């Protein structure tokens, strides 16, 4: 792990402390986990989109018709 210093306004800092406390985590850990999720989230979206597109075309029925 590395240490990073960030700057924010006082109102945001209060909000961050409350949100981190709700999860029982330190501000540092809470922000680190959010950033890690954001980093991998894009990868999951791309993988899901590729999986969907690999299925190929399929017919969809009209509502109320069998």
């Amino acid at each position: 792990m590395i240490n990073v210093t960030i700057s924010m306004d006082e109102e945001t800092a209060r909000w961050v402390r409350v949100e981190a406390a709700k999860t029982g985590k330190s501000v540092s850990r809470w922000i680190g986990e959010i950033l890690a999720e954001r980093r991998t989230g894009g990868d999951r979206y791309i993988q899901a989109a590729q999986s969907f597109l690999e299925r190929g075309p399929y017919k969809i029925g009209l509502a109320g018709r069998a």
Side-chain angles (χ1 to χ4, degrees):
M1 295 281 186
I2 64 167
N3 290 324
V4 177
T5 302
I6 60 172
S7 299
M8 65 186 80
D9 61 86
E10 190 61 37
E11 184 177 331
T12 302
R14 275 193 297 273
W15 177 82
V16 167
R17 286 192 286 276
V18 169
E19 293 301 310
K22 286 179 185 177
T23 64
K25 298 175 184 168
S26 68
V27 169
S28 179
R29 179 168 300 252
W30 188 74
I31 291 174
E33 289 178 3
I34 288 173
L35 294 175
E37 288 173 11
R38 292 283 306 262
R39 179 179 50 90
T40 59
D43 294 341
R44 287 194 308 259
Y45 174 80
I46 291 170
Q47 290 170 351
Q50 287 174 339
S51 175
F52 176 77
L53 293 173
E54 287 171 358
R55 294 179 188 166
Y58 58 91
K59 291 183 179 183
I60 54 175
L62 297 174
R65 295 180 71 185

